[in-house]
Amino acid sequence: MLKKFFPILDWLPNYKKSYLSGDLVAGLTVGVMLIPQGMAYAMIVGLPPVYGLYTALVPNLVYALTGTSRKLAVGPVALDALIVASGLSAMKLATEGEYIAMALFIALFVGVLQLAMGFLKLGFLANFLSRPVVSGFTSAAAIVIGVSQLKHLFGVKVSSSNTVETIQQLFTNLHTLNWYDFTIGVAAMLVIVGLKKWNRKLPSAMIVVVLGIVGIYLFMVNEADVNIVGYVPKGLPAFTLPNFTWEQLTLAFPLAMALAFIAFAEEMAIAKGVEERTQEYHTVPDQELKALGVSNIIGALFQSFSANASMSRTAVNVNEGAKTGLASIISALVVGLVLLFLTPYFQYLPKSILGAIILVAVFGLLDLKYPAQLYKHQKDELILLIVTFVTTLFVGIAQGIIFGVLFSLFLLIYRTSKPHVAVLGKIKGMDYFKNVERFSEDVECDNGILILRFDAQLFFANVQHFKTALYKQIHLKKGTLSYVILNAEPVNYIDNTAAAELEKIIIDLKEKGITFKLAGAIGPIRDILVKSGLVKVIGPDHIHVRTAEAYEDCLAHVGKSPMQNKVSMQYK
């Protein structure tokens, strides 16, 4: 039981010395990455940079104890930070203290919801985020994040959190551009990109942070010329209970619910990707929900905003050879040492460098290849991507993901309401039946026999589509039809509405002198036929194991072929 809730007890007793070098290198590398990223992502939320270091410390440690993915790097994430920022800005909080308290409360709320979802075994909900939704959402969020950081790059004051209004204010106030901030920020981006191309293993973000701090400390005569981070508190985060009112609880619920769902789906996508790549362990979705929930709850109690798995830092863990959660523990220790001894130096860090780090990071989130691929092959999926993208970009982060999921469900319902219906013909010289439109030269058809295959479950939403398709084919036969055979192999369910409608269709066909036959029904469908009374309506002699037998039976009755190998089906 303890191993189930604390997976560290599973891998720690079996830890091998050969793992240590990979865990150590990965932990140190990710720890160095966490420092500039954590401070930068705190700026996205609208919090003092030190809160990013707190978020890089506590949730990271807790997840190492409770998570089933041994290579996942948990901490501050740009996308989640933007969702929190978007929600907080809509609440119109009066003071900085209220803003910080609400950010911590949302992290606590998200953790509670994720923990509850884990105990309720709701891990399957992540499956409702399709790839077009994720792609459209991520690309739009990357643009929103990038636009939100332009004020730091330009050194321009912007009061709005709305993307369009932010761009308008940037252009309006462009005459106040701070050339020091702009030059430092552009130089930082060029250095980061250049170092990544030269050697991807170099901690490029940390290098520009060190260069920025040293440059400002040694050479900047007037500190007012550059917007710097300023005072960063020294020491580990203290335990604190987030304050909130019932009104704030009501306001925070939609945001927390959306973030809990999005964060888990994002985390599972990363975790499953790593699992498939390494094939070293199994990720348990429900335990991952619990691990994320506990990480956010304990993190919030130690002044962390909402944390999640980071794709970039997880990739570093994998590439540097991390084998266990010890890598995350080491990276958290690196952050802890910085908080204890090095925070006074970070007050000289230019905000434009943190903005540059974020801009370079989010540029990699833009995905243009996937929409182009959808345009060639699946245009309905492209519409879903565009709807999610536009909603996220112009309406809001939380609204974008929720609307994307709802629209994808709408597409699913639409597809199930109009599934594929095929007219089958017998392959010449064989007992196989194929779609006459796809195999027109290889199949033989009898005008007196119509074989129809319905490629979906038969239920209230699509039974009229089935009826329309059936009568359309009957009409095309122009009175020559004697038999209708329904190939039911793809049908895995028939609901009460469809059963009642099917009974009416069978009776109507009998009145027209057409015999209805059913072939290839699986066990659960045969049970439904018995319970609904459709067996009596169809007639036991007209229910066959295979389509070939139903076809031969029809030919035998019209004198065209002797019946062979008929298999009757017994019903109790």
Side-chain angles (χ1 to χ4, degrees):
M1 183 62 71
L2 281 175
K3 286 183 178 180
K4 183 178 179 181
F5 291 102
F6 296 98
I8 189 174
L9 297 176
D10 186 35
W11 59 260
L12 190 59
N14 302 312
Y15 195 84
K16 299 177 182 179
K17 288 183 180 180
S18 59
Y19 295 167
L20 185 58
S21 60
D23 284 343
L24 184 61
V25 173
L28 291 173
T29 307
V30 170
V32 170
M33 286 180 67
L34 267 169
I35 297 161
Q37 283 189 355
M39 299 178 77
Y41 297 158
M43 285 175 53
I44 295 177
V45 180
L47 300 175
V50 72
Y51 285 90
L53 298 180
Y54 296 159
T55 309
L57 175 65
V58 181
N60 203 8
L61 274 175
V62 176
Y63 180 82
L65 304 176
T66 57
T68 59
S69 179
R70 299 177 190 177
K71 304 190 182 191
L72 215 62
V74 170
V77 179
L79 191 59
D80 296 53
L82 182 64
I83 295 172
V84 175
S86 175
L88 289 175
S89 63
M91 294 182 189
K92 309 294 182 184
L93 299 165
T95 65
E96 184 183 33
E98 288 183 6
Y99 191 95
I100 293 172
M102 198 62 188
L104 302 183
F105 169 65
I106 286 172
L108 179 66
F109 203 170
V110 167
V112 170
L113 290 172
Q114 288 174 331
L115 187 61
M117 289 165 67
F119 279 111
L120 292 172
K121 301 186 181 300
L122 299 179
F124 70 90
L125 290 175
N127 299 329
F128 286 94
L129 275 178
S130 63
R131 188 181 173 191
V133 170
V134 173
S135 178
F137 173 72
T138 305
S139 295
I143 294 173
V144 175
I145 293 170
V147 169
S148 73
Q149 295 308 298
L150 291 178
K151 62 184 178 183
H152 299 300
L153 184 67
F154 294 159
V156 175
K157 289 186 177 180
V158 174
S159 58
S160 176
S161 61
N162 180 275
T163 303
V164 176
E165 291 177 1
T166 297
I167 294 173
Q168 289 175 342
Q169 290 185 24
L170 283 170
F171 277 105
T172 303
N173 300 326
L174 201 56
H175 64 281
T176 65
L177 183 143
N178 186 320
W179 286 101
Y180 289 106
D181 285 341
F182 184 71
T183 304
I184 292 170
V186 171
M189 284 193 290
L190 292 174
V191 171
I192 293 171
V193 173
L195 288 175
K196 282 182 178 293
K197 287 187 177 180
W198 181 43
N199 188 340
R200 294 193 65 84
K201 292 190 175 183
L202 286 173
S204 53
M206 194 64 201
I207 289 173
V208 297
V209 165
V210 172
L211 291 175
I213 291 172
V214 172
I216 294 298
Y217 183 78
L218 295 179
F219 303 111
M220 188 58 64
V221 177
N222 185 1
E223 293 181 6
D225 291 336
V226 178
N227 290 299
I228 59 176
V229 168
Y231 172 70
V232 179
K234 186 178 181 180
L236 300 176
F239 178 85
T240 179
L241 287 171
N243 295 320
F244 63 93
T245 63
W246 285 110
E247 183 182 358
Q248 289 173 329
L249 178 66
T250 306
L251 289 172
F253 180 76
L255 173 65
M257 194 69 217
L259 185 55
F261 178 70
I262 295 165
F264 172 63
E266 187 181 0
E267 189 260 11
M268 279 306 300
I270 299 170
K272 285 294 184 183
V274 173
E275 179 188 332
E276 290 173 8
R277 178 177 171 181
T278 60
Q279 297 291 320
E280 293 176 3
Y281 54 84
H282 177 62
T283 305
V284 183
D286 292 326
Q287 178 58 26
E288 286 299 293
L289 265 172
K290 295 171 189 174
L292 272 183
V294 173
S295 299
N296 275 311
I297 290 170
I298 297 177
L301 296 177
F302 285 91
Q303 304 184 62
S304 301
F305 58 85
S306 184
N308 194 18
S310 164
M311 184 178 293
S312 60
R313 297 193 297 272
T314 300
V316 170
N317 262 346
V318 174
N319 293 335
E320 295 297 336
K323 292 293 183 182
T324 68
L326 182 62
S328 292
I329 295 173
I330 293 171
S331 64
L333 289 176
V334 171
V335 176
L337 291 172
V338 169
L339 281 166
L340 286 171
F341 303 109
L342 299 177
T343 52
Y345 299 103
F346 283 94
Q347 65 179 310
Y348 299 104
L349 177 62
K351 289 184 177 180
S352 58
I353 285 183
L354 293 178
I357 292 170
I358 295 170
L359 285 167
V360 173
V362 300
F363 183 77
L365 296 175
L366 292 170
D367 187 358
L368 299 178
K369 292 182 180 179
Y370 185 58
Q373 178 186 337
L374 291 179
Y375 178 77
K376 292 180 181 179
H377 305 295
Q378 291 172 299
K379 288 185 173 59
D380 57 339
E381 297 280 316
L382 177 63
I383 294 172
L384 173 59
L385 186 150
I386 292 171
V387 167
T388 306
F389 177 87
V390 171
T391 307
T392 304
L393 190 60
F394 295 108
V395 180
I397 298 291
Q399 293 89 335
I401 195 72
I402 292 171
F403 195 79
V405 170
L406 292 176
F407 194 74
S408 62
L409 291 176
F410 169 78
L411 281 179
L412 176 64
I413 293 169
Y414 178 78
R415 290 182 188 128
T416 56
S417 68
K418 293 190 175 182
H420 180 251
V421 181
V423 176
L424 305 183
K426 185 175 179 291
I427 298 290
K428 296 174 183 177
M430 302 177 70
D431 279 343
Y432 293 105
F433 293 78
K434 296 292 182 181
N435 188 337
V436 296
E437 292 184 0
R438 292 177 180 270
F439 300 88
S440 56
E441 296 180 0
D442 302 313
V443 300
E444 55 187 28
C445 299
D446 190 302
N447 283 334
I449 304 171
L450 171 64
I451 308 173
L452 215 63
R453 190 186 71 217
F454 191 71
D455 294 337
Q457 62 175 295
L458 195 58
F459 70 118
F460 66 92
N462 62 25
V463 67
Q464 290 303 319
H465 175 69
F466 166 76
K467 183 177 180 180
T468 301
L470 172 62
Y471 278 94
K472 178 182 177 182
Q473 294 301 325
I474 292 173
H475 176 73
L476 291 175
K477 293 291 184 178
K478 297 179 180 179
T480 62
L481 193 63
S482 300
Y483 292 94
V484 168
I485 302 173
L486 175 62
N487 181 324
E489 291 174 12
V491 181
N492 57 25
Y493 184 71
I494 301 176
D495 75 350
N496 185 262
T497 303
E501 191 64 36
L502 193 58
E503 181 178 341
K504 293 177 184 177
I505 291 170
I506 295 167
I507 293 171
D508 181 60
L509 291 178
K510 284 181 180 178
E511 292 175 353
K512 289 181 167 63
I514 301 171
T515 301
F516 181 87
K517 287 179 173 288
L518 191 71
I522 61 175
I525 295 300
R526 297 197 299 271
D527 293 340
I528 293 171
L529 295 178
V530 173
K531 292 175 182 178
S532 65
L534 275 174
V535 167
K536 295 179 181 179
V537 178
I538 299 171
D541 292 340
H542 298 309
I543 300 176
H544 303 267
V545 174
R546 297 190 302 130
T547 303
E549 294 158 7
Y551 185 72
E552 288 293 332
D553 190 40
C554 295
L555 293 178
H557 278 86
V558 295
K560 293 186 178 181
S561 171
M563 222 184 106
Q564 300 172 350
N565 303 323
K566 179 182 176 183
V567 179
S568 61
M569 304 183 75
Q570 300 297 321
Y571 292 90
K572 295 181 181 179

